[in-house]
Amino acid sequence: MTLVNSVLVLAAAGGAFWAYQIVSGPAANADTGTTTTRTRLVAASTGTVSQTVSASGSVASASTANANFTTSGTVTEVDVKVGDVVTKGQTLAKVDPTAAQASLDTAKANLTAAKAALTRDENNSADDATIASAEAQVATAQANVTSAQATVNGTVLTAPIAGTVTAVNGAVGSSSGGSSSSSGGGGNNTSSSSSSSSSSSSGFIQLADLSKLQINASFAEADATKLKAAQTANITWSALSGTRATGKVSTISPTATTSNNVNSYAVVITLDSLPAGVRLGQSTTAVVTVAEAQNVVRIPSTALRTAGGQRAVTVQVNGQNEERTVEVGITGGGFVEIKSGVQAGEQVLITTTTTSSTTGTNNQQQFPGGAGFTGGGNFTGGGGGFGGRGGN
């Protein structure tokens, strides 16, 4: 009986080991990596090296105006709509002039009376004080007429510039929102802009000269320090595939705009020509050439190495590699200008290293119900032994 029990114990141990091997499987393979180094030769060439900076921007008009009534009242006419092209001085809208005209009529009557009083005093040889007082009344009445005339003029809104209507912010029956405080005989209260952007205030009618378009861009702080007026810019459009234009940097804002703790500078780029399909507000990308060297020796920038504060390249001469220290100039467009150390036509070495990794897998086989056999990790029947008996 003892022999039978021993055999059963050994069989159980072997079965447990076999189960463990099935459940656990072989140890996971370690990560392996393969490093590949490739070299190629490229001839130093003669050409142009350009350094550029870029920023996103949008199309804007170089000349805009916001036209507002200078006289309050109810709008009786709106003579233009968005998209209309107008000339300078053209009537845009009107407000009810009844009250303003009545005030003007009264002011004119008062002026007539003041002048008549002065004439009587002069004809009656009145004393100097009386005549001076009458003259002052005439001057006051004349000023009132001038002011009342300006109020009447302010009931008619005219275009301060020639351009295209970009917004109409009112309608017949609404209030003009104007003010009768304007001086002179002008009928408008206008704000205009011919610099970096349109005026921030909105007018009853907004105008823009679409024949004078520009790009308003925002350049990062580090890039803006490299910009100068008259530098060449290349413009591309997001919505106009294949459309390109050239321009010049016109103005660079002296102060930064900060957003999310990042400084940027507003830059205006004037366009040399207007491509077909260009509209206000279109998204663009501006690439400005900040430095350029023509007819210079150049090599791919990937051939250049930096060590110990010096720039070096590997040049192959008669099948032998030579390490040379070089003096560099402008870097841009994938090239670097070589001022000394390499001649045009010499073969420079470019070394590329890539690493590929392979991660091993741990293929584990498990029985249904978990990591072990059914019944809590033992054979069915419990007790850690074979089912049906207690081992006796």
Side-chain angles (χ1 to χ4, degrees):
M1 191 65 179
T2 301
L3 179 59
V4 173
N5 286 337
S6 298
V7 172
L8 290 176
V9 170
L10 290 174
F17 178 75
W18 170 78
Y20 174 80
Q21 288 292 92
I22 291 179
V23 173
S24 299
N29 295 330
D31 289 348
T32 60
T34 302
T35 300
T36 303
T37 300
R38 293 184 175 87
T39 60
R40 61 189 178 96
L41 292 173
V42 177
S45 61
T46 300
T48 299
V49 180
S50 299
Q51 183 180 7
T52 62
V53 295
S54 63
S56 58
S58 60
V59 180
S61 173
S63 179
T64 63
N66 295 318
N68 285 301
F69 285 102
T70 56
T71 299
S72 297
T74 301
V75 178
T76 57
E77 290 184 24
V78 177
D79 301 318
V80 294
K81 62 183 182 300
V82 172
D84 285 352
V85 178
V86 300
T87 58
K88 183 176 181 179
Q90 180 176 331
T91 298
L92 304 177
K94 295 179 181 180
V95 298
D96 186 356
T98 303
Q101 186 62 52
S103 296
L104 176 60
D105 293 341
T106 299
K108 287 181 176 180
N110 291 338
L111 176 60
T112 299
K115 286 181 177 180
L118 175 60
T119 299
R120 287 194 303 271
D121 289 340
E122 290 175 339
N123 291 337
N124 294 331
S125 300
D127 57 48
D128 292 343
T130 300
I131 292 178
S133 176
E135 290 176 339
Q137 290 178 0
V138 170
T140 299
Q142 181 62 61
N144 290 337
V145 168
T146 300
S147 177
Q149 184 63 60
T151 301
V152 171
N153 294 344
T155 63
V156 179
L157 186 63
T158 59
I161 64 170
T164 300
V165 177
T166 58
V168 177
N169 299 314
V172 173
S174 64
S175 174
S176 68
S179 171
S180 60
S181 62
S182 64
S183 61
N188 302 318
N189 180 10
T190 64
S191 60
S192 61
S193 171
S194 58
S195 57
S196 61
S197 62
S198 301
S199 173
S200 59
S201 61
S202 62
F204 186 87
I205 292 178
Q206 294 174 279
L207 303 173
D209 186 349
L210 302 188
S211 67
K212 300 177 181 178
L213 297 183
Q214 64 188 26
I215 303 299
N216 292 344
S218 182
F219 281 81
E221 183 176 13
D223 292 338
T225 60
K226 303 172 185 176
L227 294 175
K228 296 179 182 179
Q231 286 175 332
T232 301
N234 290 291
I235 312 300
T236 56
W237 273 257
S238 299
L240 302 176
S241 178
T243 299
R244 297 178 180 274
T246 58
K248 295 286 190 300
V249 173
S250 175
T251 62
I252 305 165
S253 176
T255 57
T257 300
T258 303
S259 177
N260 296 324
N261 296 321
V262 176
N263 289 338
S264 60
Y265 288 80
V267 175
V268 174
I269 299 172
T270 57
L271 296 174
D272 296 332
S273 61
L274 298 180
V278 172
R279 295 179 179 271
L280 290 177
Q282 288 176 332
S283 299
T284 62
T285 298
V287 180
V288 180
T289 301
V290 296
E292 186 174 78
Q294 298 179 347
N295 197 31
V296 296
V297 177
R298 64 182 188 177
I299 64 172
S301 55
T302 52
L304 188 68
R305 304 188 311 277
T306 301
Q310 293 185 327
R311 305 293 181 87
V313 297
T314 300
V315 181
Q316 190 172 97
V317 180
N318 297 325
Q320 301 296 320
N321 291 341
E322 294 181 2
E323 297 298 319
R324 295 186 189 176
T325 300
V326 295
E327 181 185 359
V328 303
I330 297 171
T331 299
F335 289 95
V336 58
E337 175 192 2
I338 300 298
K339 293 186 173 182
S340 65
V342 176
Q343 300 297 320
E346 290 191 300
Q347 300 289 318
V348 296
L349 192 69
I350 298 177
T351 302
T352 304
T353 301
T354 59
T355 301
S356 60
S357 61
T358 303
T359 303
T361 58
N362 184 3
N363 297 321
Q364 296 186 356
Q365 300 179 9
Q366 298 181 356
F367 286 92
F373 293 96
T374 304
N378 298 317
F379 288 98
T380 305
F386 292 93
R389 296 190 61 172
N392 295 322

